[in-house]
Each structure stands twice: as structure tokens, then as C-alpha cells.
Amino acid sequence: MMSRKGLLIVVSGPSGAGKGTLCKELLSRNRNLTVSISCTTRKPRVNEQHGVNYFFIDKDEFEEMITKTCFWSMQLYMIIIMELHVSMWKKH
């Protein structure tokens, strides 16, 4: 079990909003920050590299990863659903 504590920063916004620019600036100012690389089923854009900008995977691989709960967001989602279910069950 890991005992390190950290801070999760989520940068979210529509395409072209400047998420990449913001992340580059934050990374240049603080060497303790790292970036989590997301998976996507879309095709790479010009200058995007697999494993650098995204992990470019096909739909079948993506669905298999969801089934295996490979994504922390899916794990978090399942925890929240379980908590809500338990909470609702206790009220009845």
C-alpha cells in the first residue's frame, strides 16, 4: 500500500481552450508535477504521439479495458455507486 500523499489537479475544457498550454506552463514551473496520459479512441492529430499526448487505442481495446476496470476513473465511479447504494439502503 502506498503511503505517499499528493494532490490531483484536473485540467478540463473544450478543444482549443488552452489545456495543453496551461499544463506546459505548470510543468515548466514545478518539476514535482507529472502528467497522466489519457486513452482515446480517436485518431492522432498532427504532431501527436502515442504514449506522449494520448494512448491511441481502438474501440475494442477500450471496451476491454473498461470491462477489466483498468481506468482509475472507472474505479472511482464504481466506489461512488457502491457508496450511494449503501447510503440509500441504510435509509430504508
Side-chain angles (χ1 to χ4, degrees):
M1 177 180 238
M2 295 181 69
S3 62
R4 292 177 25 191
K5 290 186 179 182
L7 174 66
L8 174 65
I9 301 171
V10 177
V11 178
S12 178
S15 180
K19 299 178 298 289
T21 302
L22 175 62
C23 288
K24 284 180 191 175
E25 184 63 26
L26 289 170
L27 290 168
S28 73
R29 292 179 182 215
N30 188 332
R31 295 187 188 270
N32 292 320
L33 295 177
T34 58
V35 174
S36 172
I37 302 171
S38 299
C39 293
T40 184
T41 57
R42 70 168 174 78
K43 298 292 182 196
R45 295 181 184 134
V46 176
N47 297 324
E48 286 183 329
Q49 297 177 353
H50 178 78
V52 175
N53 306 101
Y54 290 93
F55 290 105
F56 297 97
I57 59 176
D58 62 32
K59 184 180 176 187
D60 291 336
E61 187 176 2
F62 186 77
E63 289 175 354
E64 182 179 344
M65 292 174 79
I66 289 172
T67 302
K68 293 181 177 177
T69 321
C70 293
F71 301 113
W72 70 263
S73 55
M74 290 299 296
Q75 294 171 1
L76 180 61
Y77 173 77
M78 295 304 292
I79 291 168
I80 291 170
I81 293 300
M82 294 292 285
E83 296 273 336
L84 287 172
H85 180 73
V86 169
S87 175
M88 289 173 22
W89 181 76
K90 286 181 178 179
K91 288 181 181 179
H92 294 307

